[in-house]
Amino acid sequence: MLRYARHPDLRLTALEGEGVALHLGTRRYYSVSESGLDILEALAAPRTLAELVALVTAKYDVTVEQAEVTTREFLERGLSTGTLTAEDVP
Amino acid sequence: MSAGISISCGKAAVGRWLEEWISSMRLVPPAPLAIAVHVGSIAPQDDGDARTPFLQPQLEIRSGPPQGDVRIRWLAGPARALIAPGGHTAQVEIGPEALADRERLAQSFLTAVLIFLLRRAGWHHVHAAIARDPSGRDWLFAGNAQSGKSTTAALLATWGWAVGSDDITFLVREGGSVEAVAQRAPIALRPDAFALLGLSGGTAARGGRKAAFFPEELGGSWAARVAPRILILPRVAGDVTRAEPVRPREALVELVRWSAWVALEPALAQEHLDLLNALACQARCYRLALAPDLFARRDLMMELVP
């Protein structure tokens, strides 16, 4: 099972419910939406997709299917930019 | 000698020049800092430092893990610096050839060394001009070298505003707010800005490519430190000066963009990022398109940002 986490080089700061993330390794910065901020804050510790979807559905008025699609997209984007890591844990 | 930054150097004449350089900036950080300078030939160094360098004009900087130190190499001449992890002293080596162009050595290499040292005292760099308007409101203009900061700073000084730095500014947390500390330096203007302002005189700077003025020479005064409540993201554009409010998050993204050092040294990056955040939150933020009409209307800035 894949568990996702923030890359150790990622720094995050929140304002007005949104955020800005800064990757110290690539020196790239990212504007982060409210739901993205929720996910990134949760990913201070490793989480599975299912755990993150549960977090999103608990806060936002979306179906599990919608939350899974958007969360998966967010995670894939994070992996491609190197802001997130994934570890396959048995 | 500056109260907060001490200089030691075996070559008395170089030491005196460095003392004058440090004193001229009028920076008094809250923690003692030191620059220890050795002047002499610099041996080639192959220390196996595999860290990806952060490149700035004339500078190669290595920082962060695994060593945790900061190594700065001047690419325009023989000079390099080392700051140990958590250290408050910069060990600087300068080759005699580098002293041939002291203005460039100071503005480029030594200023970079100073920026890293001041970070250890909680002062975090941002490319910004700062000013206090006649009604007592504090402004910060953040942007790159072509954004119009220096010209605007000079213009504001001609209107009698108090102006701090036109480029090198340090953010510091003071109580519950963020303050901006200016490096005392003349405002350096390119010939086009010089002409727009209708100025004459000044001191030759940047190898004669610019003319430099202290705010007092333009009719203003110097603002050593301000608590910005208005954050301006300027750019030179169009025929009509316009101001457009921006949300704090957008402003923060721009501040990160103009604070390249924020991404260096993991142990200090979060503090720097949080300071930029706090600044974006405490100030009203605007994008300002600067146009020639600003020069003709000294009330325009206050009208656009009431």
Side-chain angles (χ1 to χ4, degrees):
Chain A
M1 181 184 299
L2 278 179
R3 291 175 76 82
Y4 300 88
R6 289 193 332 224
H7 191 284
D9 280 348
L10 198 72
R11 297 293 181 275
L12 185 64
T13 192
L15 74 171
E16 294 187 323
E18 300 175 319
V20 171
L22 173 67
H23 192 295
L24 304 185
T26 62
R27 297 177 188 130
R28 295 182 71 93
Y29 51 89
Y30 305 89
S31 194
V32 182
S33 66
E34 182 183 356
S35 57
L37 179 65
D38 289 334
I39 293 172
L40 282 178
E41 284 180 337
L43 289 174
R47 309 265 183 192
T48 64
L49 174 63
E51 289 171 332
L52 294 170
V53 168
L55 181 150
V56 171
T57 54
K59 180 166 181 183
Y60 299 96
D61 185 19
V62 291
T63 65
V64 171
E65 291 74 21
Q66 287 169 327
E68 187 168 326
V69 168
T70 55
T71 304
R72 192 186 294 277
E73 284 174 357
F74 183 87
L75 293 172
E76 285 171 359
R77 219 166 33 245
L79 291 174
S80 69
T81 56
T83 53
L84 300 180
T85 62
E87 188 181 2
D88 202 356
V89 179
Chain B
M1 188 174 86
S2 165
I5 307 167
S6 66
I7 297 281
S8 61
C9 179
K11 298 272 187 192
V14 177
R16 278 195 300 275
W17 166 66
L18 288 167
E19 292 276 7
E20 285 171 15
W21 172 70
I22 283 286
S23 296
S24 71
M25 288 182 282
R26 300 191 195 173
L27 296 168
V28 186
L33 303 170
I35 302 177
V37 179
H38 169 76
V39 178
S41 61
I42 298 181
Q45 195 173 39
D46 180 15
D47 52 11
D49 192 337
R51 293 175 292 182
T52 304
F54 171 65
L55 296 174
Q56 289 277 283
Q58 301 179 17
L59 294 170
E60 181 187 86
I61 300 163
R62 287 186 161 84
S63 66
Q67 291 93 327
D69 60 15
V70 177
R71 290 168 190 261
I72 305 168
R73 191 162 72 91
W74 196 34
L75 301 177
R80 66 188 177 205
L82 169 67
I83 306 174
H88 284 57
T89 298
Q91 303 291 340
V92 174
E93 294 175 276
I94 300 175
E97 306 93 320
L99 292 167
D101 188 349
R102 293 186 183 188
E103 183 192 7
R104 201 153 66 120
L105 178 70
Q107 280 173 355
S108 166
F109 172 72
L110 292 172
T111 296
V113 173
L114 192 60
I115 286 171
F116 274 98
L117 271 183
L118 287 168
R119 238 185 157 200
R120 281 151 178 72
W123 286 16
H124 292 275
H125 172 260
V126 61
H127 277 296
I130 57 175
R132 176 168 294 143
D133 71 29
S135 68
R137 299 185 305 171
D138 289 347
W139 301 54
L140 184 143
F141 301 78
N144 71 359
Q146 284 77 43
S147 63
K149 294 191 310 294
S150 295
T151 307
T152 304
L155 180 63
L156 298 176
T158 66
W159 293 346
W161 290 36
V163 172
S165 165
D166 66 331
D167 185 45
I168 297 179
T169 292
F170 299 95
L171 299 178
V172 55
R173 201 173 286 279
E174 192 66 44
S177 72
V178 178
E179 294 190 352
V181 178
Q183 174 196 305
R184 170 78 168 169
I187 302 166
L189 298 170
R190 291 190 303 267
D192 53 342
F194 191 74
L196 266 173
L197 287 158
L199 295 172
S200 59
T203 305
R206 311 285 200 274
R209 297 188 308 279
K210 293 188 174 184
F213 299 84
F214 284 104
E216 296 92 330
E217 297 174 289
L218 299 171
S221 57
W222 185 55
R225 188 175 182 127
V226 302
R229 300 295 167 184
I230 299 167
L231 168 60
I232 300 291
L233 305 167
R235 66 189 168 93
V236 178
D239 298 319
V240 178
T241 300
R242 297 183 314 276
E244 171 197 356
V246 293
R247 297 173 55 219
R249 186 179 69 161
E250 289 176 66
L252 175 57
V253 169
E254 291 290 322
L255 286 172
V256 170
R257 193 174 174 195
W258 305 126
S259 307
W261 314 81
V262 66
L264 305 179
E265 297 190 278
L268 299 171
Q270 188 69 57
E271 181 179 298
H272 196 158
L273 189 59
D274 288 341
L275 262 180
L276 297 175
N277 184 337
L279 173 62
C281 290
Q282 84 176 22
R284 288 187 288 131
C285 310
Y286 296 84
R287 286 189 198 281
L288 186 68
L290 296 163
D293 60 333
L294 186 63
F295 294 83
R297 292 184 53 193
R298 61 187 300 155
D299 54 346
L300 184 55
M301 192 78 89
M302 304 280 268
E303 280 179 23
L304 292 171
V305 184

